[in-house]
Structure formats: C-alpha cells, structure tokens
Amino acid sequence: MIKTLVYVLLILIGLCVSPLIIGQSGYVYIAIGEYQIETSLVAAVVGLIFFYFALQLVEWLLVLLLNIILSSRYLPAKWRQKTAKKQTLIGALAIAEEDWPAAETAMAKGAQQGEIPLLNLFAAARAAHYQGKTTARDHYLTQAEKNPIAKTAVETSRARYFIKQGDLVKARTIVDRLSPTSKSSAPVLRLAVDLYQQQQDWQALKLLLPIVAKRKILNDSEQLGLATQTNAILLTNAAQESEAELEKCWHWLSKAERKQDELIVAYAHGLNLFKHQDKALKLLSKQLKAQPTSLLFNALPDLVSADDSEIRKLLERLESTHENDADYQTCLAKLAMQQRDAKQAKIHWQNVCRIAPSHQAWLALAQIQEQLGENTPAAQSYRKAAISM
C-alpha cells in the first residue's frame, strides 16, 4: 500500500514538473572520438532511462539462459536424487513389512544418490543380515565406514551382528578395540554388558558395572540383579580356586553387598568347602535373625548338617511368624529328613501341600508316608502328585 502511494506521488510530481522541464529543455553535447551527439536534456534523460531498462533486460535474459543451461546440465542428477528418495521410501516400507530382499535392494539403490547414504547403508546391512547374507552385510558396513563419523556406529553394528550369529570371539575383538570406558557411548556400554554376559567374563563385567551404574545404562532392578549375579558367580569361582581367592573376593564387596542373601549363601558354600562350617553358620544365623527370606530357607538344607542344633533352634523360633510360609516348611522338612525324623518331616510336607501344593511336594509327602507304612495315604498323595504335573 505504501509502495503504491509512493509511485502515485512520483507520477504526480512528474506531471507537475514536466511542463517546466519542457519549457527549459537544456542542451547536452557528447563527443566520443570522431562521433558527436547533440540533444536536449529531456531526450538525454529519456535515453538514459531506456538504456538502463535495456541493460536490465539483457541481464535478465543472460540469467535466464544460464539457469536453463545449468538446469539442463544438472537435471540427470536431480532425477537420480528423486529416484533415490523413492527407493529409500520403498525400502523403509519393506523393512516395516520385514520384506528383507526388497528392503536390501531398495536401500542399496537409494544409497547411491540419497541425501543420507549412511541411513540407506545401515538399513541395507540389516536387511542382508536377516537374509543370512553376511558378505553383503559386511560390504555395506565397509562402505558406511568410509564416513569418519560413522566409525563407532559401524563397529557397534558389526559386533551386534556377530553376537547374533554366535561368533562371540569376533565380537569380543571389536569390543576390545572400542575399549568401553566412562566416556564411551551408551550403545557401546550396553554392547559390552551383553557380550560379557554371553561370554561369562564376570571379571570384566565386574569392572564395567560401576560405569554402567553411573551412566544409568540399566534400570535399578536390572543393575542390582546383574551385580548380584556377577558377584555370586565370582565368589563361587573364587572358592574353586583357593581359600585366599575366596576371602579376597568377599572383602572386595561393599558393606551393602555383604548383606545380600545371594552373596552370603555363595560365600557360605565356599566356607563349607574349606571346612569353615562354624563361620558359615554364624553368618547364616546373623542373616536369619536380621531378615529371614525364602532364599535362605531354600539354601539352608545344603549348608546345615544333622549336628547343627543351634541354627535349628533359631528356625524353630520362627514358627509363629512363618507357619504359613511354604519355603520355611520345606526347609524344616528337609532338615528333619537329615535327622531321619520321618514323622516330623511328614508334618512339614503336609503343611507345604496345604499352603502351596505342587507335584514335588505331593511326591515328597507320598514317599515319607510310604516309608512310614501308610500305604493308603501314600497312594492318595501319589495320585495328587500325578494330577498336579
């Protein structure tokens, strides 16, 4: 609106001034070499204006001509880019449908002139892997590796593929080359955790777990479970080496870890192996007083002998609070069998069958009843055991 108003004002000013200019036309003389031009001022101004517009027209024509030439030159490249986009879309849809042959073909074609060839190459490698075409898969990853920013992603992908095909040695070579540290990316750390578990390299996993916890690679329950499993296996392995290794492994644990049932049980098994039953029973009794759990009840029959009366008395004092605990009753039944007290064992197995009937519980009760000469109840228990299978 303002621009139009300015134009109107300029036209009005021109209309007002033009009579004065025409009345006083002026005189212009131009000499260029042997050429001379004589004209009025108005004609000179009009000529300059037309000359300016002619230059603008020539410029516009030259730009248009250059655009046509350049467009014609780069038109095939644009066509190829358009085709690459189409192939990438086809490949993405094929991946969604898990049509791996079509996905590989489309993504490989799209990588040639695609805007993000790395995306196409990784997708083509994935499709090739699912077809079992390891050579093609590695070829796509090698092409992707030419881009420096994709090196870690390529290595991680290779290791994952090796793990899936069961070649843990090659995967470990790559992980060692990546050297997982606190500065490593989350995918590298997660890869290392998975590989160490499959290789059962618990010592390497033990060293990596603090970094994994700090970076929150796993949720709290997964972190706790993996740490407990790792420490328990390390204790078991240390007990198989020597008593010194067992003690060293135990004292490497934190104060909180030395209060976990799984680790206490593993350490107690190691102590029993080296004839330190008193120390093991003391540790187990302390844990029972603090917090009796199903894990402790399940482990005690393998750690307690028929002569260990103190811990049996401690278990008896738990009767009032764990009367309806199937694991507690199973523990008492097995301990009674250690002392060949079949009548007491029968009572506890009956309690187990009342609280949480199962095939094993009915079978154990039937065997005890048969041992006591109670053939009819034994036959009924055998029948219930068969039904509960």
Side-chain angles (χ1 to χ4, degrees):
M1 184 67 182
I2 295 175
K3 192 174 182 180
T4 304
L5 181 61
V6 171
Y7 286 154
V8 171
L9 289 174
L10 289 175
I11 292 170
L12 292 174
I13 292 170
L15 291 173
C16 295
V17 175
S18 59
L20 298 175
I21 294 176
I22 293 170
Q24 300 177 0
S25 59
Y27 176 76
V28 176
Y29 175 76
I30 301 173
I32 303 175
E34 298 179 356
Y35 297 95
Q36 298 177 355
I37 299 175
E38 296 181 10
T39 184
S40 66
L41 178 61
V42 174
V45 171
V46 172
L48 286 174
I49 292 173
F50 275 106
F51 179 72
Y52 172 76
F53 279 113
L55 286 178
Q56 290 292 320
L57 179 62
V58 171
E59 180 185 1
W60 179 79
L61 290 173
L62 287 174
V63 171
L64 179 62
L65 181 62
L66 288 173
N67 284 333
I68 292 173
I69 294 172
L70 292 175
S71 297
S72 300
R73 182 178 178 182
Y74 294 105
L75 192 58
K78 290 183 177 179
W79 286 343
R80 287 194 292 269
Q81 289 177 356
K82 185 177 180 180
T83 302
K85 287 183 179 179
K86 181 179 179 181
Q87 291 295 337
T88 301
L89 176 59
I90 293 172
L93 294 175
I95 288 175
E97 296 173 352
E98 297 188 359
D99 185 355
W100 304 119
E104 180 192 356
T105 302
M107 284 299 184
K109 290 180 179 178
Q112 297 173 2
Q113 292 292 330
E115 295 181 356
I116 312 176
L118 280 176
L119 176 65
N120 293 77
L121 290 171
F122 279 117
R126 181 187 179 194
H129 173 76
Y130 279 106
Q131 297 175 77
K133 298 164 64 174
T134 57
T135 304
R137 177 199 68 195
D138 295 339
H139 171 68
Y140 295 133
L141 291 177
T142 301
Q143 285 185 308
E145 198 173 16
K146 294 177 181 178
N147 191 325
I149 66 173
K151 184 174 178 59
T152 301
V154 170
E155 292 281 55
T156 305
S157 297
R158 276 203 187 103
R160 284 288 182 193
Y161 290 140
F162 284 140
I163 290 175
K164 288 178 181 178
Q165 70 187 45
D167 198 340
L168 301 183
V169 176
K170 289 183 179 179
R172 183 58 181 267
T173 301
I174 295 174
V175 170
D176 290 342
R177 191 161 58 237
L178 291 172
S179 185
T181 63
S182 58
K183 296 181 180 180
S184 299
S185 63
V188 171
L189 294 175
R190 195 174 291 108
L191 170 66
V193 169
D194 293 342
L195 179 61
Y196 293 161
Q197 286 185 86
Q198 292 197 39
Q199 285 192 313
Q200 299 185 356
D201 189 348
W202 305 108
Q203 191 61 50
L205 189 57
K206 171 73 174 178
L207 297 175
L208 189 64
L209 280 174
I211 298 173
V212 173
K214 185 177 180 181
R215 294 284 299 278
K216 298 188 181 301
I217 304 299
L218 306 174
N219 59 43
D220 292 341
S221 61
E222 290 175 337
Q223 178 74 28
L224 178 60
L226 184 57
T228 302
Q229 179 190 16
T230 301
N231 288 325
I233 293 175
L234 286 175
L235 282 169
T236 302
N237 293 341
Q240 294 174 357
E241 292 185 26
S242 65
E243 184 178 349
E245 284 295 323
L246 175 63
E247 292 298 328
K248 189 197 312 187
C249 187
W250 175 253
H251 290 291
W252 272 352
L253 301 177
S254 65
K255 187 176 181 181
E257 289 172 335
R258 288 199 292 268
K259 292 181 180 180
Q260 294 179 8
D261 292 342
E262 295 89 342
L263 305 186
I264 290 174
V265 169
Y267 182 50
H269 277 293
L271 291 174
N272 277 0
L273 189 63
F274 295 107
K275 310 300 182 185
H276 296 305
Q277 287 88 351
D278 292 342
K279 186 176 180 180
L281 289 175
K282 183 178 179 181
L283 196 62
L284 291 169
S285 298
K286 182 179 179 181
Q287 191 69 6
L288 273 175
K289 291 176 183 178
Q291 187 179 4
T293 61
S294 297
L295 182 62
L296 289 175
F297 293 144
N298 292 330
L300 278 174
D302 296 327
L303 295 168
V304 177
S305 66
D307 299 327
D308 297 324
S309 57
E310 291 299 324
I311 200 164
R312 293 174 186 273
K313 292 178 182 178
L314 176 59
L315 284 169
E316 290 173 0
R317 289 199 290 270
L318 298 174
E319 177 75 27
S320 59
T321 55
H322 292 76
E323 180 182 2
N324 294 318
D325 188 328
D327 293 318
Y328 172 75
Q329 295 292 343
T330 301
C331 176
L332 292 181
K334 291 180 179 180
L335 292 178
M337 288 304 299
Q338 282 185 353
Q339 295 181 321
R340 301 184 184 280
D341 189 348
K343 291 184 179 179
Q344 191 64 35
K346 185 187 77 169
I347 295 173
H348 292 305
W349 281 122
Q350 286 175 331
N351 289 334
V352 173
C353 292
R354 172 181 56 83
I355 300 166
S358 65
H359 171 73
Q360 294 296 333
W362 284 115
L363 186 61
L365 176 60
Q367 291 171 346
I368 293 295
Q369 290 170 331
E370 190 175 29
Q371 184 178 343
L372 292 172
E374 301 174 359
N375 296 327
T376 302
Q380 294 176 350
S381 297
Y382 276 125
R383 190 179 301 108
K384 291 179 180 178
I387 294 173
S388 60
M389 286 184 66

